[in-house]
Amino acid sequence: MTVKLDEKLEPIFQDVLHRNPGESEFHQAVHEVLETLGPVLVKYPEFADKKIIQRICEPERQIIFRVPWQDDSGEIHINRAFRVEFNSALGPYKGGMRFHPSVYLGIIKFLGFEQIFKNALTGLPIGGGKGGSDFDPKGKSDDEIMRFCQSMMTELYRHLGEYTDVPAGDIGVGGREIGYLFGQYKRITNRYESGVFTGKGLDWGGSRARTEATGYGTVFFTHEMLKARGDSLEGKTVVVSGSGNVAIYAIEKAHELGAKVIACSDSQGMIVHERGIDLQTLKRIKEVERRRISAYTEYHKDAKYVEDGNIWSVPCDVALPCATQNELNGKDAKMLVENGCVAVAEGANMPTTPEGIIVFQDAKIAYGPGKAANAGGVATSALEMQQNASRDSWTFDYTQKRLEEIMIDIHKNCYETAAEFGAEGNYVLGANINGFLRVAKAMNAMGVI
């Protein structure tokens, strides 16, 4: 941690370290927010008196439980699952479920903490939460995944509800998993409560544009950052880390807005294609065949695959980290800046390390943190909840238009808040303070609960 905290905030952070030992990702997420809140306590001393920050840093509820399930050969496995219901000052807890071997309480708390402010930034009535399990869906059959999801929901259902806690997908949790989870919820509760899950299939209550929303939203936010500097995405070269849902649709929207994406990656390597990534090939490999990105060169001989390659070494105008947390460090950030990068927007959650953020801010490039830049996903989830509540289904174009309006508003609010607190162009400060103020004012109004 390189940025010194305000003297009023340092004891709060030390308390977080003491109460949450070993949860490094959570510590990092809390520190990144706290380092921007000093000016807020000067302007709103009542938040210090009411210990609003301490209360936000402590989840309202943390649920940990075992999930036993049987594989296709009859062997029993036991995984651990989590749901952290962090803050409901603005609405029901809202946040995805992550299935990945790296999942433990610290990662779920970091994601849930980020989610509070991200959800607040959308301006929609949703609180912050997150969940998941150390279950690895890779290499599992559909039946094994179904049995795991049904076992998980047999415990989790009692904590959910459209006015209580509304999960969605994340890494390892897509439409298939959400279908199994929702199906078991419906079976146990004997209620068709569409609004209890988002990311559902279009045939049974899902929203058009939800699949595309996080990637599209990240690019809309990037476009707004460049516009604020009298620039645009037109003609820019872009690199996108990852090749999952967020990355694919960030590439799609970047191409639509006149940019050329020349590189993307997965956990084993990267593809560099100077003519521009062929989206149809990428979708076929990743969404249909579910293969490694190295297969891209089978279809495009002029593309280059680099095993374990560092995507941030590819010169570009715009970088979109869309893979996972802490994937872009200080050294990578220096490489990007030295190679002429003018904008970075985070499609993933906390993909840039604190050292990387400092490099971007010192270089005065446009840097959009995840809680603002990738809020399009959860914003469209909230729009899905609206459609479910009104028994309605919107068109793709209408939903995309609403998404774009929300991302433009998020950019405007972050930009104006940063300027109000004397840090024009600092989207980290603008996002943190704007999101915090919305939550803090609601908590203050509701008393000590």
Side-chain angles (χ1 to χ4, degrees):
M1 305 293 183
T2 45
V3 178
K4 197 171 184 325
L5 291 178
D6 181 282
E7 60 181 18
K8 287 181 184 160
L9 294 166
E10 183 61 40
I12 298 173
F13 183 64
Q14 290 305 319
D15 191 48
V16 167
L17 292 179
H18 175 70
R19 292 165 71 93
N20 306 276
E23 297 175 0
S24 56
E25 297 86 356
F26 179 50
H27 302 159
Q28 182 183 334
V30 171
H31 194 281
E32 191 263 323
V33 170
L34 293 188
E35 64 194 40
T36 60
L37 293 185
V40 178
L41 294 185
V42 174
K43 192 167 181 181
Y44 299 94
E46 66 271 24
F47 293 160
D49 297 339
K50 300 282 178 66
K51 300 205 170 171
I52 297 287
I53 296 173
Q54 291 92 322
R55 283 153 60 192
I56 285 180
C57 290
E58 185 65 27
E60 291 176 13
R61 191 174 295 109
Q62 302 179 64
I63 302 148
I64 306 176
F65 55 99
R66 75 173 181 221
V67 184
W69 60 280
Q70 213 164 16
D71 67 20
D72 290 340
S73 67
E75 187 179 343
I76 292 169
H77 301 263
I78 294 95
N79 286 94
R80 180 177 289 178
F82 309 85
R83 188 70 184 170
V84 175
E85 297 177 332
F86 228 114
N87 191 287
S88 60
L90 295 177
Y93 309 107
K94 183 86 197 76
M97 302 286 290
R98 176 174 293 193
F99 291 174
H100 193 270
S102 66
V103 166
Y104 78 109
L105 188 58
I107 280 187
I108 299 300
K109 278 162 74 173
F110 125 61
L111 292 165
F113 187 75
E114 288 271 293
Q115 200 81 46
I116 301 168
F117 307 103
K118 181 191 302 186
N119 294 1
L121 283 169
T122 67
L124 299 166
I126 42 176
K130 202 78 183 185
S133 172
D134 56 6
F135 172 77
D136 187 359
K138 277 187 182 159
K140 305 288 191 299
S141 71
D142 284 356
D143 283 348
E144 287 172 330
I145 287 169
M146 180 180 73
R147 286 194 288 271
F148 173 82
C149 289
Q150 289 176 342
S151 180
M152 184 183 193
M153 186 51 70
T154 302
E155 168 57 31
L156 187 60
Y157 86 94
R158 69 190 84 246
H159 305 288
L160 307 181
E162 61 182 320
Y163 299 110
T164 307
D165 187 351
V166 181
D170 193 83
I171 293 170
V173 178
R176 172 183 57 179
E177 290 76 12
I178 287 167
Y180 294 147
L181 290 163
F182 179 74
Q184 184 73 349
Y185 180 87
K186 180 176 79 72
R187 181 189 193 185
I188 292 170
T189 61
N190 195 31
R191 287 197 306 272
Y192 203 106
E193 196 178 325
S194 295
V196 75
F197 256 93
T198 58
K200 301 184 294 296
L202 287 178
D203 295 329
W204 45 283
S207 173
R208 288 172 180 83
R210 176 61 190 92
T211 306
E212 297 84 356
T214 309
Y216 277 20
T218 301
V219 175
F220 286 143
F221 192 89
T222 309
H223 187 62
E224 289 302 305
M225 288 198 300
L226 289 169
K227 210 156 81 173
R229 294 169 171 237
D231 203 349
S232 81
L233 269 169
E234 184 74 40
K236 296 280 189 290
T237 57
V238 182
V239 300
V240 178
S241 69
S243 51
N245 183 56
V246 179
I248 285 171
Y249 291 101
I251 293 169
E252 182 166 283
K253 186 52 68 176
H255 284 172
E256 280 179 26
L257 294 180
K260 181 168 72 168
V261 180
I262 57 168
C264 63
S265 63
D266 65 11
S267 58
Q268 295 190 345
M270 69 173 177
I271 288 289
V272 181
H273 197 182
E274 294 295 345
R275 278 198 299 126
I277 295 291
D278 180 353
L279 197 63
Q280 293 316 309
T281 302
L282 185 63
K283 283 184 177 180
R284 181 162 66 245
I285 291 165
K286 285 296 180 180
E287 295 183 338
V288 180
E289 298 168 0
R290 296 182 186 267
R291 294 165 73 197
R292 287 291 173 189
I293 204 164
S294 53
Y296 185 91
T297 55
E298 294 171 18
Y299 301 94
H300 298 279
K301 302 297 182 193
D302 57 333
K304 187 170 73 169
Y305 174 69
V306 185
E307 191 174 347
D308 293 327
N310 183 353
I311 196 162
W312 312 123
S313 67
V314 179
C316 63
D317 301 315
V318 176
L320 304 177
C322 295
T324 191
Q325 68 266 10
N326 292 327
E327 58 170 299
L328 199 167
N329 61 30
K331 194 173 152 201
D332 299 328
K334 280 184 188 141
M335 249 191 304
L336 283 168
V337 170
E338 283 164 10
N339 285 332
C341 182
V342 296
V344 176
E346 298 182 338
N349 292 309
M350 207 170 72
T352 310
T353 65
E355 296 75 23
I357 294 170
I358 289 168
V359 171
F360 293 146
Q361 291 181 331
D362 287 349
K364 300 279 193 289
I365 71 167
Y367 167 64
K371 63 172 65 72
N374 72 39
V378 76
T380 308
S381 276
L383 298 181
E384 182 175 330
M385 291 163 71
Q386 279 186 31
Q387 291 168 76
N388 294 155
S390 60
R391 301 288 189 266
D392 199 0
S393 181
W394 302 342
T395 64
F396 184 94
D397 288 343
Y398 179 72
T399 311
Q400 185 182 207
K401 183 168 170 288
R402 287 288 309 274
L403 166 65
E404 186 173 10
E405 288 165 358
I406 289 167
M407 296 312 297
I408 289 169
D409 276 349
I410 291 173
H411 175 271
K412 178 171 172 283
N413 291 332
C414 292
Y415 190 87
E416 289 176 356
T417 303
E420 180 192 339
F421 283 86
E424 189 167 335
N426 184 336
Y427 292 99
V428 175
L429 182 139
N432 286 343
I433 292 181
N434 189 270
F436 172 79
L437 285 176
R438 289 169 190 255
V439 178
K441 286 174 181 176
M443 289 176 71
N444 200 30
M446 292 177 193
V448 181
I449 56 168

